[in-house]
């Protein structure tokens, strides 16, 4: 956000990221601890997952989410 002078949860930061990456929001999974950020990302078209902060985060759970959203094949 410091590079583009836009901070989450402003939808513009998500749109800028997509533009720079040259990909569609539907092909992205945004992971965050913050409900508000998750909702904004979904509003832009991202798939979103709320995760627990380390050391509580379960990486296997994130793997399951990637498979469930169709972004990764099992």
């Amino acid at each position: 956000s410091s590079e583009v002078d836009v901070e989450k949860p402003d939808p513009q930061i998500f749109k800028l990221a997509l533009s720079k990456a040259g990909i569609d929001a539907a092909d992205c999974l945004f992971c965050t601890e913050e409900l508000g950020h998750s909702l904004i990302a979904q509003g832009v078209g991202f798939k979103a997952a709320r995760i627990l902060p380390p050391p509580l985060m379960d990486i296997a759970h994130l793997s399951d989410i990637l498979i469930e959203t169709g972004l990764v094949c099992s």
Side-chain angles (χ1 to χ4, degrees):
S1 62
S2 63
E3 292 178 19
V4 295
D5 201 32
V6 181
E7 294 184 19
K8 292 178 287 193
D10 187 327
Q12 189 61 28
I13 196 163
F14 297 100
K15 294 173 185 176
L16 284 168
L18 293 170
S19 176
K20 286 186 177 255
I23 55 178
D24 293 326
D27 295 329
C28 299
L29 177 66
F30 178 72
C31 301
T32 183
E33 301 165 23
E34 302 289 331
L35 175 61
H37 296 177
S38 177
L39 294 173
I40 297 296
Q42 287 175 317
V44 173
F46 282 76
K47 294 174 174 122
R50 294 212 30 232
I51 56 173
L52 295 173
L56 302 173
M57 184 182 169
D58 178 4
I59 198 70
H61 176 66
L62 183 55
S63 177
D64 291 342
I65 293 170
L66 287 165
I67 292 167
E68 289 169 11
T69 58
L71 294 172
V72 173
C73 296
S74 59

